[in-house]
Amino acid sequence: MSRHVIVTGASRGIGAAIAAHFIAEGDTVVALSRSGEAPEGCALSLAVDVASSSSVAAAVKSAIELHGPVDVLVANAGITRDGLAMRMSDEQWRDVMSTNLDGAFFSARAVLSSMIRARSGRIVFMGSVSPFYGVPGQANYAAAKAGMVGLARSLAREVASRGITVNVIAPGFVDTEMTAALGTTTEEITASIPMGRMGTTADVAAIVGFVASEAAGYLTGQVIAVDGGLAMGL
Ligand code: NAP
């Protein structure tokens, strides 16, 4: 049966691969991103800044009016604004917290009443291994992604009895525009990864697909690292 899936940050990178994964499964995919671009096959694509509570609420309302209750939310939109903490501006801190953490909360809150009424749903947050590892230059990003774990686990307890699962996927290094901007060579990155390669967007999309599946109905409040072993044991 076709599900109604909303993916934020679906215009490129990991989000685009996740949207493509669900489209291939025959699902109805609504893509939200700042640019409003989306992979081919999305049923609806809207330009939304996830840091704006009212914009997210309006976009989800339109999606529900067009495609019915939301079965799956993948809150994937994220940014980095790296800098050493002592030189990090208020703006760098706030931008990253707003998009990564406020955006995840606004997106989840917007789909909750629809999922609660349906007594089923899957919420998947795109976290990172960074809060478990600690990354110099990413105090803002690691803090936002750590906050997402608290958000997910609290929400998981609030809605478990309604048949809704809430989990965090924590990728390591995945080959996208975000990692291209890191200024580190591929060799430097892969040297720290037990599997000896960066992740692909498809590696992450496959795990998101499983966590959102019917088969994963007993999995909630978990942080699942998709990192080639990078952060194992942390
Ligand atoms: P990316 O290629 O830079 O794509 C980021 C996506 O987020 C784009 O679709 C972008 O849309 C969207 N976005 C950014 N700010 C937004 C906002 N305010 N409102 C709506 N959409 C917004 O990044 P990526 O590597 O695919 O990362 C996707 C997610 O995975 C992020 O949450 C990131 O933190 C996480 N992650 C990535 C890695 C990695 O190694 N790549 C590792 C761990 C976690 P526009 O293009 O329209 O701006």
Side-chain angles (χ1 to χ4, degrees):
M1 201 182 72
S2 172
R3 297 167 297 177
H4 178 187
V5 181
I6 296 182
V7 183
T8 73
S11 61
R12 55 195 158 87
I14 293 171
I18 292 168
H21 177 96
F22 286 110
I23 290 165
E25 300 258 298
D27 294 322
T28 300
V29 176
V30 173
L32 310 183
S33 69
R34 281 176 307 195
S35 60
E37 285 167 24
E40 211 175 294
C42 285
L44 177 67
S45 153
L46 297 169
V48 174
D49 179 356
V50 294
S52 160
S53 161
S54 55
S55 309
V56 173
V60 170
K61 188 168 178 276
S62 311
I64 291 172
E65 277 165 11
L66 279 169
H67 301 295
V70 182
D71 298 298
V72 180
L73 166 72
V74 185
N76 162 81
I79 57 165
T80 51
R81 297 280 183 270
D82 294 354
L84 292 175
M86 65 183 290
R87 286 197 283 272
M88 186 174 284
S89 67
D90 292 0
E91 199 180 25
Q92 275 172 298
W93 174 266
R94 268 267 48 96
D95 283 354
V96 168
M97 295 302 281
S98 305
T99 298
N100 294 275
L101 187 55
D102 295 3
F105 171 65
F106 295 153
S107 304
R109 187 179 57 184
V111 301
L112 273 175
S113 55
S114 154
M115 288 185 177
I116 286 170
R117 265 196 303 275
R119 299 191 74 81
S120 74
R122 298 276 185 270
I123 296 176
V124 183
F125 291 116
M126 195 54 63
S128 166
V129 295
S130 58
F132 307 102
Y133 215 78
V135 184
Q138 291 199 326
N140 50 359
Y141 182 78
K145 296 299 191 184
M148 191 180 263
V149 176
L151 164 63
R153 289 191 165 151
S154 301
L155 189 53
R157 287 188 189 275
E158 287 182 18
V159 298
S161 64
R162 312 300 180 100
I164 302 166
T165 68
V166 187
N167 292 289
V168 177
I169 301 299
F173 287 107
V174 182
D175 192 7
T176 68
E177 287 176 36
M178 185 176 275
T179 37
L182 279 177
T184 333
T185 64
T186 307
E187 290 69 31
E188 283 169 328
I189 292 174
T190 53
S192 60
I193 303 172
M195 294 200 83
R197 67 169 178 87
M198 289 178 79
T200 64
T201 57
D203 288 328
V204 181
I207 303 301
V208 171
F210 171 69
V211 169
S213 72
E214 193 68 35
Y218 201 53
L219 181 81
T220 198
Q222 301 304 313
V223 179
I224 298 150
V226 186
D227 65 349
L230 175 68
M232 73 169 102
L234 293 179

